[in-house]
Amino acid sequence: MTDAHVHLYPPEADADPAAWAAARREPHWARLCTRRRKDGRPVQTLPTLGALLQEMDSAGVERAWLLGWYWERPETCAEQNRLYAECIRAHPDRLSAFATIHPSAGITATLDEIRRAHGEGLRGLGELSPHSQAYPVDDPVFQAALDLAEELNLPVNLHVTDPDSARYPGWVATPPDDFLKLARSHSRVRFILAHWGGLLPLRNPAALALPNVWYDTAASPLLYDEGIWRRFLDQVPADRVVFGSDYPLNVYPRIDSLPGMARFVAEVHRAGLTADELAAVVRDNAKKILPPTARVTGR
Ligand SMILES: [Zn+2]
């Protein structure tokens, strides 16, 4: 079982997440990730690497993909990329990692950062969000980053919101056409649209025809009822869907006071998928996107 959508933050952030974010001028992350619900409980925790591995063990998750956050500053992107390089060096058998960037670094520094992260064993780009990071999808630096993703064979995970979903603090609109445009302009880049792609392929059949687009299930229980699995897979082939949780976001805030992976893993197993669909979604598709043969071996 692979969880293709997990975030991890530097241990220093946990002591005082708001101060950590303020020092780095990352108000968007602070708004989304250090928020408390009305009952006072945090929307998410900031577990250590050790706690993440324990959570994976108890949920039966063999491998997790660490996705970068869509930071507002290139410096924060680099900081998280270095953290992820350490994580995959320490646990190549359990973790893969994606690098994050912000085009405001300029073209040279952005491409250098991607090459550096790739040299450290990071295997994708994302989770990126042009709309949250405030650059247009045709931004020339972002376009150059996608060209390099193609050259280095890096899949690209993009944050997508559903235009009809409930609004939460920090919610941003992500116009569906932007993703169609990106997938078409970079037809050899494998895009993973997060959060079921905001249900893009259910709304727009043109998305179904794109051979280079996958969808992850991150945060699904926060956004949709359990019927979503069948509704989505009745329209979209199972080989296009990868299980991702969005841990350490608490995706069952009505039931759990702390985030966990196991309840979401149990949900996919009882969601009415055929055995073949289940194997594709929780294991095989992820292995095809990042084949284990090319995995980081560590030193
Ligand atoms: Zn996201």
Side-chain angles (χ1 to χ4, degrees):
M1 168 112 206
T2 295
D3 185 334
H5 194 129
V6 167
H7 298 286
L8 194 68
Y9 303 99
E12 311 86 77
D14 190 36
D16 187 344
W20 183 89
R24 284 158 184 77
R25 293 182 295 151
E26 294 286 352
H28 187 70
W29 180 81
R31 201 149 50 235
L32 275 160
C33 296
T34 69
R35 185 163 60 90
R36 288 181 180 272
R37 299 190 188 279
K38 282 184 199 115
D39 60 9
R41 290 177 305 168
V43 295
Q44 70 163 79
T45 57
L46 305 181
T48 60
L49 172 60
L52 167 65
L53 292 167
Q54 263 176 27
E55 190 58 37
M56 290 167 62
D57 287 342
S58 62
V61 171
E62 285 132 3
R63 176 173 292 275
W65 295 0
L66 301 174
L67 298 192
W69 183 259
Y70 34 93
W71 303 108
E72 294 168 83
R73 312 272 163 200
E75 298 79 10
T76 326
C77 296
E79 182 179 353
Q80 192 173 39
N81 294 342
R82 300 294 86 72
L83 168 72
Y84 282 5
E86 268 175 49
C87 293
I88 56 176
R89 202 157 44 234
H91 300 280
D93 53 329
R94 305 298 304 278
L95 302 171
S96 305
F98 283 39
T100 180
I101 51 156
H102 197 297
S104 67
I107 191 154
T108 306
T110 300
L111 301 186
D112 282 353
E113 179 57 37
I114 294 171
R115 288 189 194 282
R116 179 175 179 185
H118 180 250
E120 291 168 332
L122 280 71
R123 305 273 310 282
L125 281 188
E127 182 179 9
L128 299 179
S129 176
H131 309 93
S132 314
Q133 294 177 294
Y135 52 88
V137 292
D138 57 2
D139 175 274
V141 179
F142 181 54
Q143 290 285 319
L146 294 178
D147 294 344
L148 184 54
E150 177 181 331
E151 184 189 320
L152 299 175
N153 198 24
L154 306 173
V156 177
N157 185 299
L158 299 173
H159 174 76
V160 186
T161 58
D162 181 335
D164 299 328
S165 81
R167 302 300 193 256
Y168 50 83
W171 187 91
V172 288
T174 62
D177 283 353
D178 282 352
F179 301 103
L180 298 176
K181 228 189 280 178
L182 287 172
R184 287 178 181 136
S185 70
H186 286 81
S187 59
R188 285 202 288 272
V189 173
R190 294 162 299 159
F191 290 96
I192 303 163
L193 303 186
H195 317 295
W196 299 108
L199 305 189
L200 173 65
L202 272 49
R203 262 182 259 280
N204 187 342
L208 280 176
L210 299 167
N212 58 327
V213 174
W214 283 258
Y215 302 92
D216 83 27
T217 65
S220 183
L222 267 184
L223 304 166
Y224 307 106
D225 64 73
E226 287 188 28
I228 190 61
W229 294 91
R230 226 17 304 151
R231 287 201 300 281
F232 199 87
L233 287 157
D234 283 346
Q235 308 282 328
V236 182
D239 66 358
R240 298 283 119 189
V241 178
V242 285
F243 176 83
S245 65
D246 223 351
Y247 180 85
L249 184 65
N250 183 359
V251 294
Y252 294 100
R254 289 198 195 92
I255 312 174
D256 295 329
S257 51
L258 292 172
M261 276 180 184
R263 197 183 297 281
F264 195 2
V265 168
E267 180 180 311
V268 59
H269 282 88
R270 64 165 180 265
L273 276 56
T274 67
D276 285 351
E277 286 173 334
L278 185 64
V281 169
V282 306
R283 189 189 61 219
D284 298 343
N285 298 338
K287 282 191 177 164
K288 282 183 201 155
I289 295 171
L290 291 184
T293 47
R295 82 175 182 222
V296 184
T297 52
R299 273 176 289 180

